[in-house]
Amino acid sequence: MKQSRERVVAVYLVETPYSLEHTAGILAGEQSTGTFTAVPGETDDLKREFGAVVEGIRPLEIVDVPSLPGASVPAGHSGGYRRGEVRISFPLHNFGPSIPNLMTAVAGNLYELQELSGLRLLDLELPEAFVRAYRGPRFGIEGTRELCGVSGRPIIGTIVKPSVGLPMEALGRLITELALSGLDFIKDDELNADPPYAPFALKVETVMDAVRRAADRTGKQVMYAFNITGDMDQMRRNHDQVVQSGGSCVMASINSIGFTALTELSRYSEVPIHGHRNQWGMLTRCPQLGMDFRVYQKLARLAGADHIHVNGLRSKFYESDQSVIHSIRSCLTPLGDSRLPMPVISSGQWAGTAVDTYAATGTVDVMHLAGGGILAHPDGPTAGVKSMKLGWEAAVKGESLAEYAARHPVLQRAVDKFGAKS
Amino acid sequence: MKQSRERVVAVYLVETPYSLEHTAGILAGEQSTGTFTAVPGETDDLKREFGAVVEGIRPLEIVDVPSLPGASVPAGHSGGYRRGEVRISFPLHNFGPSIPNLMTAVAGNLYELQELSGLRLLDLELPEAFVRAYRGPRFGIEGTRELCGVSGRPIIGTIVKPSVGLPMEALGRLITELALSGLDFIKDDELNADPPYAPFALKVETVMDAVRRAADRTGKQVMYAFNITGDMDQMRRNHDQVVQSGGSCVMASINSIGFTALTELSRYSEVPIHGHRNQWGMLTRCPQLGMDFRVYQKLARLAGADHIHVNGLRSKFYESDQSVIHSIRSCLTPLGDSRLPMPVISSGQWAGTAVDTYAATGTVDVMHLAGGGILAHPDGPTAGVKSMKLGWEAAVKGESLAEYAARHPVLQRAVDKFGAKS
């Protein structure tokens, strides 16, 4: 019997007190035909057809201290813990094109093995048949641009604050002000979905009323991402409310609902899904555990996220700028022939970060969200939005922020206020 | 305005280069009314009604090296990283009784904050109103016992191996042999759900045919947990297939599908849900990140898991026996008036581990799964099952394994074969 052709490749960062070869073999066995001991029925034919295969091992450094607790050590262990990059391939027919069963196959119990003192899923290479089975973003960059009426520059947006407790009248006034400022996009805070103190139907009515009135004056309807994160029936109900009221976007906290609920929502939704990645730090901040964003964004886009949060340069979070840049690039790397999701840049953003972001990524296919960078502009939100657009203009024209600001007072005022902080 | 009465308390293990008081304040602000800077509308009234409150701080050790990368340090930082247990309460009305929105509130972006070099969610205390909104396990211990016809002792089970690639005829023969052995429970491997090489409908037919034939001879129908892990529509379809064929249990990989899909499945399912926790290591193995099992099992049972995997004593995994014992106890701790889920003990189990498990937990309300410990008994699976039951008899009677084995040859044979390994 020949080895199955369509295969998924998982790339791991491994740390182990054993040899890398021995450990890679255990990973492959544990997650396919093997168990901790030979069992009847595990024939050579079965292994050939269903076995996972170690495709490559790249040794890295040796460290003195194990990164994670609970690793066993071989007899006569000298104390070193070997790190290496291990590539393992799995026959697709072991689990089929299914995100949940893929995750059980490539991750499963591996994080708990005694043979490992570190394990991180670095990448997943998925065959066409897998990608085709999930349609991915239904709107993505193109569909979102169309709905927003924005081309050639990023979609500029902001977040409703305070995130919790804002009375309806105050929300209505805020949305009116923001919608009149020329913004393309406004989102609910992730902390605010469908709380008892602010019934969702009333929120939608209040927001859409403000959005429509502003559109009557400006000729442009701002896209509002309503946070519908919740149980499945609640998400469907709230999605329907948004669509019936003429809304053009829903938002979901991806890790709160999980990839399976996201897939289900994507199959149901008539508008783009704004994917928030809160709780992502839990899966990635320990460098020898969890997974890289490369893997995460592939799963999120396959499941149907049209927009995916990636933090921003010089943000309030622990993540390095280099990592943010990698995240933006990974969202914009094709995955089969599915639509590209729009990376969402946020946290500590203002006109100045536009220049650096473009310099590092060379793309305008992003959503750029700023809270204070727009609302706290000395001349108000309308000036704040203008300064953001000017920041991107400077970036695309290859001009320095200082030069462009010297010719555009609205940008200069932003530089004066926010420039020192960056 | 008075402080809202119904509150959720989250208990964190924190590590920070700043003071614990300062850091606790940031956690509370970030996840309720605050953002990184004061915004208009964040009034004192709003803070009183919606603000999270630091309820207590218990300082722990100070360490020299930060556990996680990317933490900022205050000016003049001496180099120490303070650890402490921090209790923060959130008004329930900020998010309502909703698992996904609870998680965004109590975890959210906290894992990514620069002010932290470690953050672990240790516990969640949920008000009655929250617990009532989710009905929890629909069957739990009681309903599972009834379906299995087992009382006064653990439910004894095993796992189909090889996990991947077993031809249908071989599967049928294996199930017949296992069902005739007196086992109460058999489960699919988590790696085997609905793969292209073994159509689910055919698997159900094959398994249920063997189960029914065996029941005709033994008078007892073994409970088979069919792994229906998959996308939502696939899970519903496969659940229906199981129920229509007279099956009495479905299985789902909780982390593969997420809590929201589990909630949806629980509202749909007519049989108990066997909750497998593969990928759990990713969320818990780094001691200064992720969450404790105490939190995880609360969420899993609220979402409707009837059985929850907890590893086993002396398993092949990194987890300590003490941690496994804590996990069993936490599943058996009441949560409002919802049904108790059944802890599932597995990995490296045999008759001998029964004695130690009972000594440590004092309960028989567990499912005890053994692969080799049953199938590899020198006198075959029937003897293997008998030895497991005898192990629990000895445990409950307070007799030592050696004494009881001396009087029961079937147990003695198990001790001779598996005793040295433990």
Side-chain angles (χ1 to χ4, degrees), chain B residues 73-96:
Chain B
V73 289
H77 180 236
S78 63
Y81 293 81
R82 291 174 183 79
R83 290 184 183 164
E85 207 179 278
V86 172
R87 290 170 62 86
I88 296 179
S89 76
F90 302 78
L92 177 59
H93 70 180
N94 280 19
F95 42 83

mmCIF file with all atom_site columns, all heavy atoms in Angstrom, chain B residues 73-96:
data_model
loop_
_atom_site.group_PDB
_atom_site.id
_atom_site.type_symbol
_atom_site.label_atom_id
_atom_site.label_alt_id
_atom_site.label_comp_id
_atom_site.label_asym_id
_atom_site.label_entity_id
_atom_site.label_seq_id
_atom_site.pdbx_PDB_ins_code
_atom_site.Cartn_x
_atom_site.Cartn_y
_atom_site.Cartn_z
_atom_site.occupancy
_atom_site.B_iso_or_equiv
_atom_site.pdbx_formal_charge
_atom_site.auth_seq_id
_atom_site.auth_comp_id
_atom_site.auth_asym_id
_atom_site.auth_atom_id
_atom_site.pdbx_PDB_model_num
ATOM 1   N N   . VAL B 1 73 ? 9.189   47.406 32.760 1.00 0.00 ? 73 VAL B N   1
ATOM 2   C CA  . VAL B 1 73 ? 9.552   47.553 34.177 1.00 0.00 ? 73 VAL B CA  1
ATOM 3   C C   . VAL B 1 73 ? 9.423   49.020 34.573 1.00 0.00 ? 73 VAL B C   1
ATOM 4   O O   . VAL B 1 73 ? 9.633   49.914 33.747 1.00 0.00 ? 73 VAL B O   1
ATOM 5   C CB  . VAL B 1 73 ? 10.993  47.060 34.463 1.00 0.00 ? 73 VAL B CB  1
ATOM 6   C CG1 . VAL B 1 73 ? 11.058  45.545 34.349 1.00 0.00 ? 73 VAL B CG1 1
ATOM 7   C CG2 . VAL B 1 73 ? 11.996  47.728 33.555 1.00 0.00 ? 73 VAL B CG2 1
ATOM 8   N N   . PRO B 1 74 ? 9.067   49.275 35.828 1.00 0.00 ? 74 PRO B N   1
ATOM 9   C CA  . PRO B 1 74 ? 8.950   50.667 36.276 1.00 0.00 ? 74 PRO B CA  1
ATOM 10  C C   . PRO B 1 74 ? 10.342  51.295 36.376 1.00 0.00 ? 74 PRO B C   1
ATOM 11  O O   . PRO B 1 74 ? 11.346  50.578 36.477 1.00 0.00 ? 74 PRO B O   1
ATOM 12  C CB  . PRO B 1 74 ? 8.312   50.534 37.657 1.00 0.00 ? 74 PRO B CB  1
ATOM 13  C CG  . PRO B 1 74 ? 8.616   49.148 38.119 1.00 0.00 ? 74 PRO B CG  1
ATOM 14  C CD  . PRO B 1 74 ? 8.773   48.305 36.901 1.00 0.00 ? 74 PRO B CD  1
ATOM 15  N N   . ALA B 1 75 ? 10.390  52.632 36.356 1.00 0.00 ? 75 ALA B N   1
ATOM 16  C CA  . ALA B 1 75 ? 11.670  53.347 36.512 1.00 0.00 ? 75 ALA B CA  1
ATOM 17  C C   . ALA B 1 75 ? 12.296  52.931 37.840 1.00 0.00 ? 75 ALA B C   1
ATOM 18  O O   . ALA B 1 75 ? 11.607  52.801 38.845 1.00 0.00 ? 75 ALA B O   1
ATOM 19  C CB  . ALA B 1 75 ? 11.410  54.854 36.488 1.00 0.00 ? 75 ALA B CB  1
ATOM 20  N N   . GLY B 1 76 ? 13.591  52.696 37.810 1.00 0.00 ? 76 GLY B N   1
ATOM 21  C CA  . GLY B 1 76 ? 14.300  52.346 39.042 1.00 0.00 ? 76 GLY B CA  1
ATOM 22  C C   . GLY B 1 76 ? 13.976  50.958 39.563 1.00 0.00 ? 76 GLY B C   1
ATOM 23  O O   . GLY B 1 76 ? 14.166  50.665 40.740 1.00 0.00 ? 76 GLY B O   1
ATOM 24  N N   . HIS B 1 77 ? 13.505  50.074 38.663 1.00 0.00 ? 77 HIS B N   1
ATOM 25  C CA  . HIS B 1 77 ? 13.122  48.718 39.058 1.00 0.00 ? 77 HIS B CA  1
ATOM 26  C C   . HIS B 1 77 ? 14.320  47.943 39.586 1.00 0.00 ? 77 HIS B C   1
ATOM 27  O O   . HIS B 1 77 ? 15.377  47.897 38.967 1.00 0.00 ? 77 HIS B O   1
ATOM 28  C CB  . HIS B 1 77 ? 12.523  47.995 37.843 1.00 0.00 ? 77 HIS B CB  1
ATOM 29  C CG  . HIS B 1 77 ? 12.089  46.596 38.124 1.00 0.00 ? 77 HIS B CG  1
ATOM 30  N ND1 . HIS B 1 77 ? 12.566  45.523 37.405 1.00 0.00 ? 77 HIS B ND1 1
ATOM 31  C CD2 . HIS B 1 77 ? 11.248  46.097 39.046 1.00 0.00 ? 77 HIS B CD2 1
ATOM 32  C CE1 . HIS B 1 77 ? 12.012  44.415 37.872 1.00 0.00 ? 77 HIS B CE1 1
ATOM 33  N NE2 . HIS B 1 77 ? 11.209  44.742 38.859 1.00 0.00 ? 77 HIS B NE2 1
ATOM 34  N N   . SER B 1 78 ? 14.140  47.321 40.751 1.00 0.00 ? 78 SER B N   1
ATOM 35  C CA  . SER B 1 78 ? 15.251  46.631 41.406 1.00 0.00 ? 78 SER B CA  1
ATOM 36  C C   . SER B 1 78 ? 15.494  45.241 40.833 1.00 0.00 ? 78 SER B C   1
ATOM 37  O O   . SER B 1 78 ? 16.480  44.603 41.154 1.00 0.00 ? 78 SER B O   1
ATOM 38  C CB  . SER B 1 78 ? 14.942  46.505 42.892 1.00 0.00 ? 78 SER B CB  1
ATOM 39  O OG  . SER B 1 78 ? 13.791  45.698 43.050 1.00 0.00 ? 78 SER B OG  1
ATOM 40  N N   . GLY B 1 79 ? 14.577  44.768 40.021 1.00 0.00 ? 79 GLY B N   1
ATOM 41  C CA  . GLY B 1 79 ? 14.792  43.464 39.410 1.00 0.00 ? 79 GLY B CA  1
ATOM 42  C C   . GLY B 1 79 ? 13.880  42.362 39.887 1.00 0.00 ? 79 GLY B C   1
ATOM 43  O O   . GLY B 1 79 ? 13.813  41.313 39.274 1.00 0.00 ? 79 GLY B O   1
ATOM 44  N N   . GLY B 1 80 ? 13.149  42.570 40.967 1.00 0.00 ? 80 GLY B N   1
ATOM 45  C CA  . GLY B 1 80 ? 12.270  41.510 41.464 1.00 0.00 ? 80 GLY B CA  1
ATOM 46  C C   . GLY B 1 80 ? 10.924  41.491 40.755 1.00 0.00 ? 80 GLY B C   1
ATOM 47  O O   . GLY B 1 80 ? 10.442  42.508 40.266 1.00 0.00 ? 80 GLY B O   1
ATOM 48  N N   . TYR B 1 81 ? 10.370  40.278 40.660 1.00 0.00 ? 81 TYR B N   1
ATOM 49  C CA  . TYR B 1 81 ? 9.022   40.123 40.097 1.00 0.00 ? 81 TYR B CA  1
ATOM 50  C C   . TYR B 1 81 ? 8.133   39.537 41.168 1.00 0.00 ? 81 TYR B C   1
ATOM 51  O O   . TYR B 1 81 ? 8.377   38.422 41.628 1.00 0.00 ? 81 TYR B O   1
ATOM 52  C CB  . TYR B 1 81 ? 9.079   39.251 38.836 1.00 0.00 ? 81 TYR B CB  1
ATOM 53  C CG  . TYR B 1 81 ? 9.822   39.935 37.712 1.00 0.00 ? 81 TYR B CG  1
ATOM 54  C CD1 . TYR B 1 81 ? 11.222  39.938 37.669 1.00 0.00 ? 81 TYR B CD1 1
ATOM 55  C CD2 . TYR B 1 81 ? 9.128   40.629 36.720 1.00 0.00 ? 81 TYR B CD2 1
ATOM 56  C CE1 . TYR B 1 81 ? 11.909  40.609 36.665 1.00 0.00 ? 81 TYR B CE1 1
ATOM 57  C CE2 . TYR B 1 81 ? 9.801   41.300 35.713 1.00 0.00 ? 81 TYR B CE2 1
ATOM 58  C CZ  . TYR B 1 81 ? 11.192  41.285 35.685 1.00 0.00 ? 81 TYR B CZ  1
ATOM 59  O OH  . TYR B 1 81 ? 11.864  41.955 34.701 1.00 0.00 ? 81 TYR B OH  1
ATOM 60  N N   . ARG B 1 82 ? 7.138   40.326 41.591 1.00 0.00 ? 82 ARG B N   1
ATOM 61  C CA  . ARG B 1 82 ? 6.278   39.930 42.710 1.00 0.00 ? 82 ARG B CA  1
ATOM 62  C C   . ARG B 1 82 ? 5.168   39.015 42.249 1.00 0.00 ? 82 ARG B C   1
ATOM 63  O O   . ARG B 1 82 ? 4.492   39.291 41.262 1.00 0.00 ? 82 ARG B O   1
ATOM 64  C CB  . ARG B 1 82 ? 5.643   41.162 43.341 1.00 0.00 ? 82 ARG B CB  1
ATOM 65  C CG  . ARG B 1 82 ? 6.617   42.038 44.068 1.00 0.00 ? 82 ARG B CG  1
ATOM 66  C CD  . ARG B 1 82 ? 5.932   43.319 44.555 1.00 0.00 ? 82 ARG B CD  1
ATOM 67  N NE  . ARG B 1 82 ? 6.931   44.176 45.192 1.00 0.00 ? 82 ARG B NE  1
ATOM 68  C CZ  . ARG B 1 82 ? 7.791   44.936 44.516 1.00 0.00 ? 82 ARG B CZ  1
ATOM 69  N NH1 . ARG B 1 82 ? 7.753   44.968 43.192 1.00 0.00 ? 82 ARG B NH1 1
ATOM 70  N NH2 . ARG B 1 82 ? 8.689   45.665 45.150 1.00 0.00 ? 82 ARG B NH2 1
ATOM 71  N N   . ARG B 1 83 ? 4.975   37.956 43.000 1.00 0.00 ? 83 ARG B N   1
ATOM 72  C CA  . ARG B 1 83 ? 3.829   37.095 42.740 1.00 0.00 ? 83 ARG B CA  1
ATOM 73  C C   . ARG B 1 83 ? 2.779   37.285 43.824 1.00 0.00 ? 83 ARG B C   1
ATOM 74  O O   . ARG B 1 83 ? 3.125   37.566 44.979 1.00 0.00 ? 83 ARG B O   1
ATOM 75  C CB  . ARG B 1 83 ? 4.253   35.626 42.684 1.00 0.00 ? 83 ARG B CB  1
ATOM 76  C CG  . ARG B 1 83 ? 5.065   35.313 41.451 1.00 0.00 ? 83 ARG B CG  1
ATOM 77  C CD  . ARG B 1 83 ? 5.380   33.830 41.366 1.00 0.00 ? 83 ARG B CD  1
ATOM 78  N NE  . ARG B 1 83 ? 6.216   33.564 40.201 1.00 0.00 ? 83 ARG B NE  1
ATOM 79  C CZ  . ARG B 1 83 ? 6.910   32.446 40.020 1.00 0.00 ? 83 ARG B CZ  1
ATOM 80  N NH1 . ARG B 1 83 ? 6.870   31.482 40.939 1.00 0.00 ? 83 ARG B NH1 1
ATOM 81  N NH2 . ARG B 1 83 ? 7.637   32.274 38.934 1.00 0.00 ? 83 ARG B NH2 1
ATOM 82  N N   . GLY B 1 84 ? 1.544   37.107 43.452 1.00 0.00 ? 84 GLY B N   1
ATOM 83  C CA  . GLY B 1 84 ? 0.477   37.234 44.440 1.00 0.00 ? 84 GLY B CA  1
ATOM 84  C C   . GLY B 1 84 ? -0.819  36.694 43.904 1.00 0.00 ? 84 GLY B C   1
ATOM 85  O O   . GLY B 1 84 ? -0.987  36.523 42.690 1.00 0.00 ? 84 GLY B O   1
ATOM 86  N N   . GLU B 1 85 ? -1.721  36.382 44.834 1.00 0.00 ? 85 GLU B N   1
ATOM 87  C CA  . GLU B 1 85 ? -3.057  35.945 44.453 1.00 0.00 ? 85 GLU B CA  1
ATOM 88  C C   . GLU B 1 85 ? -3.965  37.158 44.569 1.00 0.00 ? 85 GLU B C   1
ATOM 89  O O   . GLU B 1 85 ? -4.012  37.807 45.617 1.00 0.00 ? 85 GLU B O   1
ATOM 90  C CB  . GLU B 1 85 ? -3.510  34.834 45.408 1.00 0.00 ? 85 GLU B CB  1
ATOM 91  C CG  . GLU B 1 85 ? -4.499  33.875 44.808 1.00 0.00 ? 85 GLU B CG  1
ATOM 92  C CD  . GLU B 1 85 ? -4.889  32.782 45.791 1.00 0.00 ? 85 GLU B CD  1
ATOM 93  O OE1 . GLU B 1 85 ? -4.138  31.802 45.912 1.00 0.00 ? 85 GLU B OE1 1
ATOM 94  O OE2 . GLU B 1 85 ? -5.944  32.929 46.430 1.00 0.00 ? 85 GLU B OE2 1
ATOM 95  N N   . VAL B 1 86 ? -4.658  37.470 43.498 1.00 0.00 ? 86 VAL B N   1
ATOM 96  C CA  . VAL B 1 86 ? -5.496  38.673 43.451 1.00 0.00 ? 86 VAL B CA  1
ATOM 97  C C   . VAL B 1 86 ? -6.934  38.262 43.179 1.00 0.00 ? 86 VAL B C   1
ATOM 98  O O   . VAL B 1 86 ? -7.204  37.495 42.263 1.00 0.00 ? 86 VAL B O   1
ATOM 99  C CB  . VAL B 1 86 ? -4.991  39.631 42.346 1.00 0.00 ? 86 VAL B CB  1
ATOM 100 C CG1 . VAL B 1 86 ? -5.969  40.783 42.145 1.00 0.00 ? 86 VAL B CG1 1
ATOM 101 C CG2 . VAL B 1 86 ? -3.601  40.157 42.668 1.00 0.00 ? 86 VAL B CG2 1
ATOM 102 N N   . ARG B 1 87 ? -7.853  38.767 44.030 1.00 0.00 ? 87 ARG B N   1
ATOM 103 C CA  . ARG B 1 87 ? -9.278  38.503 43.827 1.00 0.00 ? 87 ARG B CA  1
ATOM 104 C C   . ARG B 1 87 ? -9.945  39.765 43.285 1.00 0.00 ? 87 ARG B C   1
ATOM 105 O O   . ARG B 1 87 ? -9.837  40.828 43.886 1.00 0.00 ? 87 ARG B O   1
ATOM 106 C CB  . ARG B 1 87 ? -9.956  38.138 45.153 1.00 0.00 ? 87 ARG B CB  1
ATOM 107 C CG  . ARG B 1 87 ? -9.571  36.783 45.711 1.00 0.00 ? 87 ARG B CG  1
ATOM 108 C CD  . ARG B 1 87 ? -10.106 36.611 47.136 1.00 0.00 ? 87 ARG B CD  1
ATOM 109 N NE  . ARG B 1 87 ? -11.557 36.664 47.166 1.00 0.00 ? 87 ARG B NE  1
ATOM 110 C CZ  . ARG B 1 87 ? -12.338 35.606 46.963 1.00 0.00 ? 87 ARG B CZ  1
ATOM 111 N NH1 . ARG B 1 87 ? -11.789 34.420 46.736 1.00 0.00 ? 87 ARG B NH1 1
ATOM 112 N NH2 . ARG B 1 87 ? -13.643 35.720 46.991 1.00 0.00 ? 87 ARG B NH2 1
ATOM 113 N N   . ILE B 1 88 ? -10.607 39.632 42.147 1.00 0.00 ? 88 ILE B N   1
ATOM 114 C CA  . ILE B 1 88 ? -11.303 40.777 41.553 1.00 0.00 ? 88 ILE B CA  1
ATOM 115 C C   . ILE B 1 88 ? -12.752 40.383 41.313 1.00 0.00 ? 88 ILE B C   1
ATOM 116 O O   . ILE B 1 88 ? -13.029 39.295 40.808 1.00 0.00 ? 88 ILE B O   1
ATOM 117 C CB  . ILE B 1 88 ? -10.627 41.208 40.234 1.00 0.00 ? 88 ILE B CB  1
ATOM 118 C CG1 . ILE B 1 88 ? -9.203  41.689 40.533 1.00 0.00 ? 88 ILE B CG1 1
ATOM 119 C CG2 . ILE B 1 88 ? -11.432 42.302 39.535 1.00 0.00 ? 88 ILE B CG2 1
ATOM 120 C CD1 . ILE B 1 88 ? -8.418  42.120 39.323 1.00 0.00 ? 88 ILE B CD1 1
ATOM 121 N N   . SER B 1 89 ? -13.672 41.277 41.687 1.00 0.00 ? 89 SER B N   1
ATOM 122 C CA  . SER B 1 89 ? -15.088 40.985 41.451 1.00 0.00 ? 89 SER B CA  1
ATOM 123 C C   . SER B 1 89 ? -15.632 41.880 40.340 1.00 0.00 ? 89 SER B C   1
ATOM 124 O O   . SER B 1 89 ? -15.235 43.030 40.188 1.00 0.00 ? 89 SER B O   1
ATOM 125 C CB  . SER B 1 89 ? -15.899 41.166 42.733 1.00 0.00 ? 89 SER B CB  1
ATOM 126 O OG  . SER B 1 89 ? -16.096 42.537 42.995 1.00 0.00 ? 89 SER B OG  1
ATOM 127 N N   . PHE B 1 90 ? -16.511 41.279 39.533 1.00 0.00 ? 90 PHE B N   1
ATOM 128 C CA  . PHE B 1 90 ? -17.140 41.974 38.400 1.00 0.00 ? 90 PHE B CA  1
ATOM 129 C C   . PHE B 1 90 ? -18.658 41.940 38.583 1.00 0.00 ? 90 PHE B C   1
ATOM 130 O O   . PHE B 1 90 ? -19.207 40.889 38.918 1.00 0.00 ? 90 PHE B O   1
ATOM 131 C CB  . PHE B 1 90 ? -16.828 41.252 37.078 1.00 0.00 ? 90 PHE B CB  1
ATOM 132 C CG  . PHE B 1 90 ? -15.371 41.116 36.766 1.00 0.00 ? 90 PHE B CG  1
ATOM 133 C CD1 . PHE B 1 90 ? -14.595 40.150 37.388 1.00 0.00 ? 90 PHE B CD1 1
ATOM 134 C CD2 . PHE B 1 90 ? -14.769 41.957 35.839 1.00 0.00 ? 90 PHE B CD2 1
ATOM 135 C CE1 . PHE B 1 90 ? -13.246 40.018 37.085 1.00 0.00 ? 90 PHE B CE1 1
ATOM 136 C CE2 . PHE B 1 90 ? -13.428 41.827 35.537 1.00 0.00 ? 90 PHE B CE2 1
ATOM 137 C CZ  . PHE B 1 90 ? -12.664 40.858 36.163 1.00 0.00 ? 90 PHE B CZ  1
ATOM 138 N N   . PRO B 1 91 ? -19.331 43.066 38.349 1.00 0.00 ? 91 PRO B N   1
ATOM 139 C CA  . PRO B 1 91 ? -20.799 43.009 38.391 1.00 0.00 ? 91 PRO B CA  1
ATOM 140 C C   . PRO B 1 91 ? -21.287 42.052 37.302 1.00 0.00 ? 91 PRO B C   1
ATOM 141 O O   . PRO B 1 91 ? -20.867 42.167 36.145 1.00 0.00 ? 91 PRO B O   1
ATOM 142 C CB  . PRO B 1 91 ? -21.228 44.441 38.053 1.00 0.00 ? 91 PRO B CB  1
ATOM 143 C CG  . PRO B 1 91 ? -20.005 45.288 38.249 1.00 0.00 ? 91 PRO B CG  1
ATOM 144 C CD  . PRO B 1 91 ? -18.829 44.398 37.974 1.00 0.00 ? 91 PRO B CD  1
ATOM 145 N N   . LEU B 1 92 ? -22.177 41.135 37.669 1.00 0.00 ? 92 LEU B N   1
ATOM 146 C CA  . LEU B 1 92 ? -22.694 40.185 36.677 1.00 0.00 ? 92 LEU B CA  1
ATOM 147 C C   . LEU B 1 92 ? -23.410 40.928 35.542 1.00 0.00 ? 92 LEU B C   1
ATOM 148 O O   . LEU B 1 92 ? -23.361 40.508 34.388 1.00 0.00 ? 92 LEU B O   1
ATOM 149 C CB  . LEU B 1 92 ? -23.646 39.189 37.345 1.00 0.00 ? 92 LEU B CB  1
ATOM 150 C CG  . LEU B 1 92 ? -24.315 38.171 36.408 1.00 0.00 ? 92 LEU B CG  1
ATOM 151 C CD1 . LEU B 1 92 ? -23.292 37.325 35.670 1.00 0.00 ? 92 LEU B CD1 1
ATOM 152 C CD2 . LEU B 1 92 ? -25.289 37.275 37.165 1.00 0.00 ? 92 LEU B CD2 1
ATOM 153 N N   . HIS B 1 93 ? -24.042 42.062 35.863 1.00 0.00 ? 93 HIS B N   1
ATOM 154 C CA  . HIS B 1 93 ? -24.800 42.751 34.814 1.00 0.00 ? 93 HIS B CA  1
ATOM 155 C C   . HIS B 1 93 ? -23.901 43.395 33.750 1.00 0.00 ? 93 HIS B C   1
ATOM 156 O O   . HIS B 1 93 ? -24.398 43.872 32.744 1.00 0.00 ? 93 HIS B O   1
ATOM 157 C CB  . HIS B 1 93 ? -25.808 43.750 35.402 1.00 0.00 ? 93 HIS B CB  1
ATOM 158 C CG  . HIS B 1 93 ? -25.204 44.956 36.021 1.00 0.00 ? 93 HIS B CG  1
ATOM 159 N ND1 . HIS B 1 93 ? -25.946 45.957 36.590 1.00 0.00 ? 93 HIS B ND1 1
ATOM 160 C CD2 . HIS B 1 93 ? -23.917 45.319 36.181 1.00 0.00 ? 93 HIS B CD2 1
ATOM 161 C CE1 . HIS B 1 93 ? -25.143 46.885 37.063 1.00 0.00 ? 93 HIS B CE1 1
ATOM 162 N NE2 . HIS B 1 93 ? -23.917 46.515 36.828 1.00 0.00 ? 93 HIS B NE2 1
ATOM 163 N N   . ASN B 1 94 ? -22.576 43.402 33.965 1.00 0.00 ? 94 ASN B N   1
ATOM 164 C CA  . ASN B 1 94 ? -21.679 43.897 32.902 1.00 0.00 ? 94 ASN B CA  1
ATOM 165 C C   . ASN B 1 94 ? -21.738 43.012 31.657 1.00 0.00 ? 94 ASN B C   1
ATOM 166 O O   . ASN B 1 94 ? -21.508 43.472 30.545 1.00 0.00 ? 94 ASN B O   1
ATOM 167 C CB  . ASN B 1 94 ? -20.223 43.927 33.382 1.00 0.00 ? 94 ASN B CB  1
ATOM 168 C CG  . ASN B 1 94 ? -19.930 45.152 34.244 1.00 0.00 ? 94 ASN B CG  1
ATOM 169 O OD1 . ASN B 1 94 ? -20.858 45.760 34.766 1.00 0.00 ? 94 ASN B OD1 1
ATOM 170 N ND2 . ASN B 1 94 ? -18.654 45.487 34.385 1.00 0.00 ? 94 ASN B ND2 1
ATOM 171 N N   . PHE B 1 95 ? -21.977 41.713 31.875 1.00 0.00 ? 95 PHE B N   1
ATOM 172 C CA  . PHE B 1 95 ? -21.941 40.778 30.738 1.00 0.00 ? 95 PHE B CA  1
ATOM 173 C C   . PHE B 1 95 ? -23.083 39.758 30.784 1.00 0.00 ? 95 PHE B C   1
ATOM 174 O O   . PHE B 1 95 ? -23.396 39.138 29.778 1.00 0.00 ? 95 PHE B O   1
ATOM 175 C CB  . PHE B 1 95 ? -20.592 40.059 30.643 1.00 0.00 ? 95 PHE B CB  1
ATOM 176 C CG  . PHE B 1 95 ? -20.037 39.611 31.970 1.00 0.00 ? 95 PHE B CG  1
ATOM 177 C CD1 . PHE B 1 95 ? -20.451 38.426 32.530 1.00 0.00 ? 95 PHE B CD1 1
ATOM 178 C CD2 . PHE B 1 95 ? -19.112 40.395 32.660 1.00 0.00 ? 95 PHE B CD2 1
ATOM 179 C CE1 . PHE B 1 95 ? -19.964 38.011 33.757 1.00 0.00 ? 95 PHE B CE1 1
ATOM 180 C CE2 . PHE B 1 95 ? -18.616 39.990 33.903 1.00 0.00 ? 95 PHE B CE2 1
ATOM 181 C CZ  . PHE B 1 95 ? -19.034 38.799 34.451 1.00 0.00 ? 95 PHE B CZ  1
ATOM 182 N N   . GLY B 1 96 ? -23.706 39.616 31.957 1.00 0.00 ? 96 GLY B N   1
ATOM 183 C CA  . GLY B 1 96 ? -24.821 38.673 32.059 1.00 0.00 ? 96 GLY B CA  1
ATOM 184 C C   . GLY B 1 96 ? -24.354 37.238 32.121 1.00 0.00 ? 96 GLY B C   1
ATOM 185 O O   . GLY B 1 96 ? -23.150 36.945 32.022 1.00 0.00 ? 96 GLY B O   1
#
